[in-house]
Amino acid sequence: MSGAHFAFTDRWGGVSAVPYEELNLGGAVGDDPDAVRRNRDLAATALGVDPARVVWMNQVHGRDVAVVDGPWPEGREVPAVDAVVTAERGLALAVLTADCTPVLLADPVAGVAAAAHAGRPGMVAGVVPAAVEAMVGLGARPERIVARTGPAVCGRCYEVPADMRADVVAVEPAAGAETSWGTPAVDVTAGVHAQLERLGVRDREQSPVCTLESGDHFSYRRDRVTGRLAGYVWLD
Ligand SMILES: [Zn+2]
């Protein structure tokens, strides 16, 4: 899509040591802060993005959205939000994940982009519809929005207690799933796509990668102490 850029990292190409090897982009997972800074520089440079023009979030599994027009001021606490939206071309928005679903959205015509962090609680709370609503507030139109979801734990791997699945399905039926071994599961990415479909966002693609099954990706459910992948979206 001309004008809109979407990128998802894997775990290789960085400087972090075990168990964060190699390209850990998460700053709150116990890794050496210098390594994380180096990795963020490496990842941005590889994408042709200015590392100083990337907006990160303090993600808390909620549905709050921040509208931004530049990076957070140096030395101030990064707000606790799970989606960021911008109308600033050239500003990259980043979302950190290790099993949760990274959601990147862009309306290249309006020049509006969003990045959202949708784990099970965030998907149920509606963080993705909240991000779309904020985009519309800046002039985006759902039928022009391009949506890309990145590597995430799949519905055949994300086992949950039966009552938890029932709670999720009560809100989002499309997220009901079953593990490959026949127990209750949740498919967060399917839930996100169902939400976007209902909002009229039809240009959608989903990464085929399951983080828990892939040795090339960080997975919290598999490894517990591990790194974070990032998804980036920006507009020319
Ligand atoms: Zn899987």
Side-chain angles (χ1 to χ4, degrees):
M1 188 76 200
S2 96
H5 299 269
F6 307 90
F8 296 102
T9 62
D10 62 25
R11 70 182 298 165
W12 306 122
V15 300
S16 289
V18 175
Y20 308 103
E21 78 280 18
E22 296 169 343
L23 190 66
N24 167 45
L25 297 164
V29 293
D31 194 5
D32 171 14
D34 287 333
V36 175
R37 242 188 314 275
R38 186 81 210 290
N39 288 339
R40 289 182 173 189
D41 284 352
L42 287 168
T45 303
L47 297 172
V49 167
D50 178 352
R53 300 279 294 160
V54 178
V55 181
W56 301 91
M57 295 179 267
N58 172 18
Q59 301 167 182
V60 293
H61 293 283
R63 59 157 285 156
D64 287 349
V65 182
V67 175
V68 297
D69 58 9
W72 307 111
E74 200 80 42
R76 287 248 301 276
E77 209 176 320
V78 173
V81 295
D82 288 89
V84 277
V85 178
T86 193
E88 189 74 19
R89 293 183 185 269
L91 185 68
L93 308 177
V95 48
L96 294 164
T97 59
D99 291 339
C100 290
T101 304
V103 185
L104 306 178
L105 307 165
D107 176 344
V109 178
V112 178
H117 164 244
R120 176 181 46 78
M123 185 273 292
V124 169
V127 67
V128 175
V132 170
E133 187 184 328
M135 290 179 74
V136 169
L138 294 175
R141 297 230 305 257
E143 65 272 22
R144 287 195 307 239
I145 292 176
V146 182
R148 300 288 181 263
T149 59
V153 63
C154 81
R156 296 178 309 281
C157 291
Y158 186 7
E159 182 177 48
V160 297
D163 57 345
M164 183 180 284
R165 179 174 70 177
D167 289 347
V168 170
V169 167
V171 176
E172 183 46 73
E178 193 168 273
T179 59
S180 56
W181 55 98
T183 59
V186 167
D187 188 333
V188 174
T189 300
V192 166
H193 279 267
Q195 291 173 334
L196 288 169
E197 173 71 27
R198 280 196 299 274
L199 290 167
V201 178
R202 275 172 291 273
D203 185 346
R204 305 188 313 269
E205 284 177 18
Q206 174 180 346
S207 166
V209 173
C210 168
T211 45
L212 192 141
E213 294 174 76
S214 167
D216 296 324
H217 294 76
F218 298 119
S219 170
Y220 174 76
R221 282 181 80 90
R222 182 186 60 219
D223 298 326
R224 294 296 156 176
V225 179
T226 190
R228 294 294 179 272
L229 309 161
Y232 299 83
V233 60
W234 69 100
L235 292 152
D236 289 328

